[in-house]
Amino acid sequence: MSSNFLPDPSSVRYDGPWTHRDVHANGIRFHVVEAAPERTDAPLVVLLHGFADFWWSWRHQLTGLTEMGFRAVAVDLRGYGDSDKPPRGYDGWTLAGDIAGLIRALGHTEAALVGHAEGGLVCWATAVLHPRLVRAIALVSSPHPGALKSAVLRDRRQRRTWLPNFLRYQLPRYPEYRLTTNDGFEVERLLRQRVTGSWSGTAEFVDAARRMRSAIQIPGAAHCALEYQRWAFRSQWRPDGRRFMATVRVPIGIPVLALRGESDNYLLRSTFHRGLRWSPHRRMVTVPNAAHFAHQENPDVVTAELAKFLG
């Protein structure tokens, strides 16, 4: 896509059975989407997307959970989509503060959080750092951060699937170029690599990939997306990062649902089983006919499991 025709942030405000709103929290503006009139009497469920993605990832759960009586709100995380893109704040502490602030700004005293991949790491952090605001967390393809680190260090198979991209993203400028050049093709390549062949052959996959490719080309989005990964790497050698990892390793007493696509070859089954000591009230569910993007590949099963868990 020519630099003269980069997508506007508002291009992610797709029409549908939902409302787009701007909510100010933790010093910045967030773009949020909800499928029902604004109401604070229904239980709040906040949906958080993963790397190189945006709120659209949750379109099925947004409508499905709303029909089941929840107030489901999908968010463009800091730096993504039509949310603000400040130069800083991609550390675990600030990201948890974003979601805590958002829950209050939406008029609630607590919420259940649902996160995919990197959005799941934000769920873990918010649950530990703001425990009074989080009543439960559900994770799609998102092991506990301590479990992921341990698996990458000790399990050769997990290291081989996860580490190369993570290290590549630490380079300056080149990863931004890689994500945005050729009309954002790298984002589709990563998506195709991490989903089942049966879903990647569908019209819905083609549509989702097209929207993700456009969203990553919004000025600043690719850089901000990579800043999450860069903080995760740099912080390991700094006091704030060591303190953060020690803090998220405090066991949490709330209910936790961990969903993993049965064909996920990016984050391995053994990695998910490592984290039980940090979430003793965790339930593991395998999603059939799905890989790393289970909430899009098999949305009915994921929405039903979430409703059962949150009910």
Side-chain angles (χ1 to χ4, degrees):
M1 185 173 280
S2 151
S3 59
N4 297 328
F5 299 103
L6 291 174
D8 187 82
S10 65
S11 61
V12 300
R13 295 186 177 236
Y14 293 112
D15 289 338
W18 41 62
T19 306
H20 297 272
R21 296 175 52 213
D22 294 307
V23 177
H24 290 264
N26 207 21
I28 67 168
R29 178 192 56 81
F30 290 92
H31 168 228
V32 307
V33 188
E34 55 184 312
E38 196 180 328
R39 47 183 292 206
T40 53
D41 57 328
L44 178 63
V45 182
V46 181
L47 304 161
L48 308 173
H49 63 81
F51 174 71
D53 208 344
F54 68 116
W55 74 269
W56 180 258
S57 201
W58 295 109
R59 60 199 174 279
H60 298 294
Q61 289 71 37
L62 194 57
T63 51
L65 292 172
T66 299
E67 285 164 11
M68 292 169 184
F70 298 96
R71 184 187 182 191
V73 177
V75 183
D76 279 339
L77 290 172
R78 168 184 292 254
Y80 281 101
D82 198 13
S83 289
D84 280 352
K85 296 166 182 60
R88 287 178 196 80
Y90 301 93
D91 58 281
W93 310 96
T94 306
L95 296 168
D98 286 350
I99 305 310
L102 203 53
I103 293 167
R104 294 190 192 98
L106 289 166
H108 290 256
T109 54
E110 62 166 24
L113 306 180
V114 181
H116 171 241
E118 215 164 61
L121 300 182
V122 180
C123 292
W124 287 112
T126 312
V128 171
L129 296 169
H130 303 275
R132 282 179 301 198
L133 289 170
V134 183
R135 63 182 180 88
I137 60 172
L139 302 315
V140 180
S141 311
S142 190
H144 187 281
L148 179 58
K149 183 173 182 178
S150 161
V152 169
L153 290 172
R154 296 184 173 86
D155 181 336
R156 189 183 304 139
R157 284 175 60 233
Q158 184 61 84
R159 188 160 57 244
R160 200 164 49 229
T161 67
W162 189 85
L163 197 59
N165 272 334
F166 182 66
L167 292 178
R168 201 176 292 129
Y169 293 154
Q170 306 312 317
L171 298 168
R173 291 192 295 281
Y174 172 71
E176 282 88 341
Y177 173 78
R178 180 96 188 248
L179 285 174
T180 56
T181 194
N182 195 12
D183 198 22
F185 176 74
E186 173 68 2
V187 172
E188 178 172 341
R189 188 189 72 80
L190 291 172
L191 182 65
R192 191 176 292 277
Q193 198 178 65
R194 294 173 188 174
V195 300
T196 57
S198 56
W199 193 61
S200 66
T202 65
E204 190 190 30
F205 171 88
V206 173
D207 180 61
R210 177 182 62 80
R211 294 176 199 250
M212 284 175 72
R213 287 173 68 163
S214 176
I216 202 66
Q217 294 176 78
I218 290 168
H223 175 70
C224 295
L226 290 159
E227 284 296 285
Y228 286 72
Q229 309 263 337
R230 288 165 178 158
W231 179 80
F233 180 75
R234 289 191 305 255
S235 67
Q236 294 178 72
W237 291 276
R238 297 198 305 227
D240 70 317
R242 287 199 291 271
R243 203 167 74 249
F244 177 78
M245 195 50 98
T247 304
V248 294
R249 282 190 169 119
V250 172
I252 58 174
I254 58 172
V256 176
L257 174 67
L259 296 158
R260 179 183 174 272
E262 66 176 346
S263 304
D264 190 346
N265 294 320
Y266 179 60
L267 288 171
L268 308 179
R269 188 169 173 271
S270 54
T271 300
F272 284 79
H273 285 280
R274 286 175 180 266
L276 188 59
R277 65 185 178 278
W278 299 306
S279 52
H281 304 290
R282 183 182 73 176
R283 191 163 68 85
M284 288 274 303
V285 172
T286 300
V287 181
N289 308 315
H292 190 61
F293 286 77
H295 57 307
Q296 297 195 62
E297 298 171 77
N298 197 343
D300 293 348
V301 167
V302 170
T303 304
E305 287 291 347
L306 288 173
K308 190 162 65 180
F309 170 69
L310 299 169

